[in-house]
Amino acid sequence: MPNSSEESGLHGENSVQHVKEDSEYVRLVISDDPRPAEGDTLQPQPETRTKSPIRWIRILALCILLVIIILIFLKWGVPFLFEKVLFPLMQWEATAFGRPVLAIVLIASLALFPVFLIPSGPSMWLAGMIFGYGLGFVIIMVGTTIGMVLPYWVGLLFRDRIHQWLKRWPQQAAMLRLAAEGSWFHQFRMVALFRVSPFPYTIFNYAIVVTSMRFWPYLCGSVAGMVPEAFIYIYSGRLIRTLADVQYGNYHMTTVEIVYNIISFIIAVLTIIAFTVYAKRALKELEMGEANGEETSTSTGSGFEMNKLPLERTKHPTSSSFPL
């Protein structure tokens, strides 16, 4: 009996010691395992914190540089443009051509420049400076309408080459394909958004021919999208002419005119920003919808066909994707 009690006592002490060792093992080994992992996950945070001040310093330096460039341009660039370019141009157009001939020249330039990928903004400014809001708006709309139709028809002749060229920019090609899908109103709306957005309209005139875009939605959407841009160009052209008359002519603005020009300039800038932001947001939503559609179509096994442009999907000569 004493031996058995001693053995049980020894066994109890061994078990207690074993439990202590186990608990010590758990505390030292197992409970310490997550700590290095947490340390690993927390290590990159100081790096991001150190990167953020550098990023803000770069943005601040870029803003300061941009302000300096703008001040230099306003101090020396604008007077040079007024004195050497704008004012001689205004004197030349006043003496070299009559108004009917000048209107025909501006319409021809607005119609032909987009065919050769030349920006037609200077011609719109001249139309605004010379003819004002009424006749200037008519000249701009007639010329730009012809300048949007001619590249479309020319692009149809080189559709294969344009399609091969667009393969270098698959994201932009996918956006154009999405703009050309859907109903008549959807195509009309998307073309108007592309005209308002910063997307280069001279390239858009050619690139849209490789999609299933119909002609009439393209034409009506292009005209609707050009209306705000035409008024902006006319207003800026009139403002430039007013400033040139004040600087080099005998014209003096009253206080009411100065306030009016400042307010109208602010409204014009806000209008441009609003149209641009709205168009970019709408196109971004379209792009996100395309990404979601690609995920669902890939899961169903039809994503490869959806990513193709109509020219890849069918090459039947009797295709009616481009009714004129």
Side-chain angles (χ1 to χ4, degrees), residues 50 53 71 102 114 122 132 163 226 236 238 257 275 290 301 303 308:
T50 55
L71 292 176
L102 192 59
H163 180 250
M226 281 300 301
S236 58
R238 299 296 296 177
E257 289 177 333
F275 274 112
E290 165 67 3
K308 292 182 179 180

Side-chain angles (χ1 to χ4, degrees), residues 274-297:
F275 274 112
T276 304
V277 170
Y278 172 75
K280 291 179 69 175
R281 185 178 298 176
L283 295 177
K284 188 67 176 179
E285 291 176 357
L286 182 68
E287 185 178 358
M288 292 175 63
E290 165 67 3
N292 295 332
E294 286 182 357
E295 291 178 359
T296 55
S297 61

